Amino acid sequence: MKILKINRAHINHDFIKQAARVLGQGNLVVFPTETVYGIGADVFNKKAVAKIFTTKQRPADNPLIVHIAQMSDLKKLARSVSPLAEKVAKKFWPGPLTLILPKKKNVPKIVTGDTDTVAVRMPDHPVALALIKVAKSPIAAPSANLSGKPSATDALHAVSDFGDKIEVYLDSGPAKIGLESTVLDITVDPPEILRHGAITKEILQKFLGKVVEYKHHPTGKVRSPGMKYRHYAPNARLVLVKGSQKEIVKKVRALIKKFKKTGKKVGVIGSKETAMYYKDADCVAILSNQRNLKMAAHKLFRALRKFDDENMDIIISEIFPEQGIGRAVMNRLERAATS
Ligand code: TXA
Ligand code: MG
């Protein structure tokens, strides 16, 4: 196992070549993107892609996102690209937006599951782009965490999940955004948001006019298979506390008291405004002030992993406003809480 520290402003091309060679040999590489770290394989090498599923312990029907470095790579993956899809790609790529497109036959089924579509994005990270270019093939990559665990926002999170199972980790420090990309299905009209992320509903609406949010119906066909699985879950049980700020503080304090009485180790996710009220907790993570939702997004997964490292039994979390990237933050928190 090699951890190669690679500076995004002064890329060490020898490291990129080493990582590209590993991909060429049908093995996996952990690499940085602006959202979270990815665990990647050559998209056209079925055996290599299969290793992603075994290494992550990921269910086989949960398809992968394919990462490209230039618009011309789209031709290798998508059967057709509508004028609208092209317009959206040109506007938001490279960036934290994944587009669902009609899949070309040659994209292996193991990448896309039982769907006729393929998820594609161009990451906004010079190391990822260099790796894809030197590897000369798009890279299929889910987030670099064990299935169900919080995504890796740092190379060392991936190292702690996979250790020696991965030959090369490219480490460029903390991921800028800290939450996974927005997933937009552009094969339907109006386009549908399958997963919230940093390209928010508000931003997409402004650009596209109408967009809708996909709501999971227990009986219907699952449109984004990833949404049905246990996800983002720390080992500890997570309890979400709702209400006005005053009510939240009161409820969180009461819960800290209740759980501590039963001998549990209690972590709290709070904000700058409220952290001072939670001194009785064993560990407090301040994500941001309530208005700085970008910062909350940036720190969420790191906080969940820290609670695991410190062996918390219970995590009590405040809610965040469901606007802009706050929707993505709340979506991850809700899914961590219900799993
Ligand atoms: O920011 C990100 O998107 C990161 C970085 C590494 O790019 N990747 C990531 O991958 O979060 P993953 O595998 O953890 O999440 C992929 C999501 C899943 O919810 C999956 O179900 C959905 O995208 N997805 C993939 N292909 C799809 C398809 N053809 N149709 C619908 N949903 C799809
Ligand atoms: Mg993931």
Side-chain angles (χ1 to χ4, degrees), residues 67-289:
H67 297 69
I68 61 171
Q70 54 225 343
M71 287 299 270
S72 57
D73 288 343
L74 263 185
K75 289 198 288 282
K76 302 178 187 167
L77 305 165
R79 195 165 66 232
S80 62
V81 179
S82 67
L84 182 65
E86 191 168 329
K87 208 174 117 190
V88 176
K90 281 195 172 137
K91 166 85 179 163
F92 294 104
W93 285 353
L97 179 70
T98 294
L99 293 177
I100 305 294
L101 300 165
K103 145 186 147 57
K104 242 187 167 166
K105 256 210 185 109
N106 59 327
V107 180
K109 230 181 153 177
I110 187 165
V111 174
T112 56
D114 197 19
T115 59
D116 188 34
T117 54
V118 59
V120 187
R121 91 175 185 101
M122 192 190 292
D124 187 15
H125 198 297
V127 171
L129 295 174
L131 179 64
I132 300 162
K133 276 188 191 149
V134 175
K136 294 201 176 73
S137 184
I139 298 178
S143 50
N145 52 279
L146 282 171
S147 195
K149 293 282 140 209
S151 297
T153 57
D154 227 310
L156 292 184
H157 297 161
V159 174
S160 104
D161 279 11
F162 304 128
D164 277 337
K165 290 190 184 130
I166 301 294
E167 215 169 302
V168 167
Y169 294 85
L170 293 176
D171 179 356
S172 292
K176 192 168 117 208
I177 293 171
L179 284 187
E180 309 85 346
S181 62
T182 307
V183 178
L184 184 72
D185 189 344
I186 195 105
T187 66
V188 290
D189 185 20
E192 219 168 295
I193 297 173
L194 303 183
R195 178 174 75 182
H196 289 289
I199 303 296
T200 62
K201 187 179 173 192
E202 289 86 344
I203 295 172
L204 288 171
Q205 254 165 353
K206 213 166 162 191
F207 190 70
L208 286 168
K210 192 165 182 198
V211 288
V212 292
E213 280 170 70
Y214 171 68
K215 295 263 186 294
H216 175 53
H217 301 292
T219 50
K221 183 175 173 349
V222 179
R223 288 275 302 287
S224 186
M227 301 312 269
K228 74 181 180 201
Y229 292 108
R230 182 174 194 271
H231 223 265
Y232 315 116
N235 294 327
R237 190 180 132 208
L238 192 141
V239 182
L240 256 181
V241 177
K242 304 190 176 180
S244 67
Q245 185 162 304
K246 224 171 148 187
E247 286 162 353
I248 289 177
V249 168
K250 212 171 144 194
K251 284 189 209 167
V252 172
R253 283 169 64 94
L255 284 171
I256 296 173
K257 218 172 170 180
K258 178 182 140 193
F259 288 124
K260 294 276 307 176
K261 241 189 215 156
T262 60
K264 300 263 193 273
K265 281 187 91 174
V266 181
V268 173
I269 295 178
S271 51
K272 281 214 175 97
E273 292 88 342
T274 56
M276 62 184 167
Y277 300 112
Y278 304 146
K279 296 215 169 90
D280 292 339
D282 295 288
C283 187
V284 181
I286 303 171
L287 292 196
S288 71
N289 64 47

Side-chain angles (χ1 to χ4, degrees), residues 294-308:
K294 265 193 186 160
M295 183 61 81
H298 181 69
K299 289 189 172 170
L300 175 64
F301 286 143
R302 179 175 302 273
L304 293 180
R305 280 185 177 257
K306 181 165 181 258
F307 287 134
D308 274 352

